[in-house]
Amino acid sequence: MAELVSLRVRQEAAVAEVTLLGPGKGNLLGPDFWTELPQVFTELDRDESVRAVVLTGSGEHFSYGLDLEAFARRWQDMFSGQPGLAGPRTELHREIRAMQDAVSTVAECRKPVVAAVSGWCIGGGVDLIAACDVRYASAQARFSVREVRMAIVADLGSLHRLPAIIGEGHLRELALSGKDVDAAEAARIGLVNQVLPGPQESLRAAHEFARQVAANPPLTVQGVKQVLDAERASRVQIGLKHVAAWNAAFMSSEDLIEAVTAFAQRRDPEFTGR
């Protein structure tokens, strides 16, 4: 692997471990992450010595999600003085599609990917684990499809991959409210496969599953994953294209500015629908 900033990759036998490194204690998904994630998973997909992948976070949390401050600055520059023009909206659409493609490299990796989640898993973090094949969590884990509270339609895959994992009713409850759920609730609705007492136990469980997968015939394992993904993949891609177009058209709003401002000021936002 080339030198990485946002991710660390280690390999033991046939299992690779990919760890989110930040920035910040919540492993925010910043600009470096969106460049490095597809590089890492494309290389893992090609590396025949790798038969399974464990995805986890460093420190106490899996991920707080998108680095809002970094992207708010980017969006402000993009739309400054010309919010209604097609040029900046086309650029936003291109960026959304690139970020979607980055997450899709996790889902499309031929090697099964298992997530080990502790602490908070918010927004883009949920998009990431939705792209994984199996998910383990510590009892301290918390989950939130929080984009609606930030005046954003979740556009990186959770709305499209989670129906097959937790069902549409549970997804609508999470995505329309933006509420937080604990590990026990996540297990009840099927968002995680198993809850373990602590972070080390959940990581060990993920590695044990990965080793079991790696011991099986690799081409057969890849075939099982491909067959399971075949029907869902086309629906996911159609949905991703739709939400990218929607957000390129409508995400630039006064409510988004209010959400980011309120977040920075640590107060409740006041939305106006403008």
Side-chain angles (χ1 to χ4, degrees):
M1 293 284 178
E3 186 174 349
L4 300 170
V5 175
S6 67
L7 300 168
R8 180 179 66 236
V9 182
R10 295 175 176 171
Q11 184 174 346
E12 182 176 345
V15 177
E17 180 182 281
V18 179
T19 304
L20 309 179
L21 296 180
K25 65 179 182 179
N27 300 317
L28 290 171
L29 309 179
D32 290 322
F33 171 84
W34 298 106
T35 299
E36 294 176 354
L37 183 71
Q39 295 174 351
V40 165
F41 273 88
T42 297
E43 191 162 338
L44 292 174
D45 180 79
R46 293 172 179 169
D47 187 345
E48 297 305 332
S49 72
V50 175
R51 296 188 177 186
V53 181
V54 173
L55 178 63
T56 190
S58 61
E60 297 180 3
H61 303 285
F62 183 79
S63 177
Y64 284 174
L66 192 68
D67 187 342
L68 282 175
E69 291 187 4
F71 280 92
R73 290 192 297 269
R74 169 65 179 144
W75 294 331
Q76 185 176 21
D77 291 342
M78 188 181 297
F79 288 99
S80 179
Q82 47 182 358
L85 295 184
R89 295 186 183 276
T90 300
E91 177 64 12
L92 177 59
H93 183 266
R94 185 198 65 77
E95 291 194 0
I96 294 170
R97 291 293 288 157
M99 293 165 72
Q100 290 175 340
D101 289 345
V103 176
S104 291
T105 60
V106 178
E108 294 168 3
C109 181
R110 293 177 302 148
K111 324 303 172 58
V113 183
V114 53
V117 181
S118 61
W120 280 107
C121 180
I122 300 172
V126 178
D127 291 306
L128 270 183
I129 67 169
C132 296
D133 298 282
V134 174
R135 290 151 291 278
Y136 293 99
S138 71
Q140 300 81 16
R142 299 291 184 271
F143 303 84
S144 182
V145 183
R146 193 173 292 184
E147 285 88 344
V148 68
R149 289 161 59 182
M150 299 305 299
I152 298 172
V153 178
D155 56 9
L156 300 180
S158 58
L159 298 187
H160 311 99
R161 296 188 172 101
L162 286 181
I165 298 170
I166 66 175
E168 189 168 312
H170 290 309
L171 175 57
R172 286 175 183 264
E173 183 179 9
L174 296 182
L176 292 171
S177 69
K179 71 176 186 176
D180 307 331
V181 296
D182 62 18
E185 177 69 2
R188 186 187 72 80
I189 66 177
L191 180 58
V192 298
N193 295 70
Q194 187 178 356
V195 177
L196 288 303
Q200 292 305 314
E201 290 88 348
S202 64
L203 185 59
R204 280 198 294 268
H207 273 278
E208 176 58 27
F209 171 79
R211 286 191 293 269
Q212 291 173 355
V213 169
N216 289 328
L219 295 181
T220 305
V221 168
Q222 293 168 27
V224 169
K225 180 168 179 176
Q226 185 180 57
V227 170
L228 287 172
D229 288 346
E231 183 179 357
R232 182 177 66 168
S234 60
R235 295 199 306 270
V236 169
Q237 287 305 314
I238 290 171
L240 289 173
K241 290 179 180 179
H242 182 93
V243 73
W246 174 275
N247 273 351
F250 299 116
M251 189 167 68
S252 176
S253 68
E254 291 184 9
D255 280 345
L256 174 60
I257 296 171
E258 168 63 10
V260 174
T261 303
F263 175 79
Q265 296 176 351
R266 299 183 183 275
R267 61 172 175 80
D268 293 333
E270 296 182 6
F271 297 126
T272 61
R274 298 184 61 185

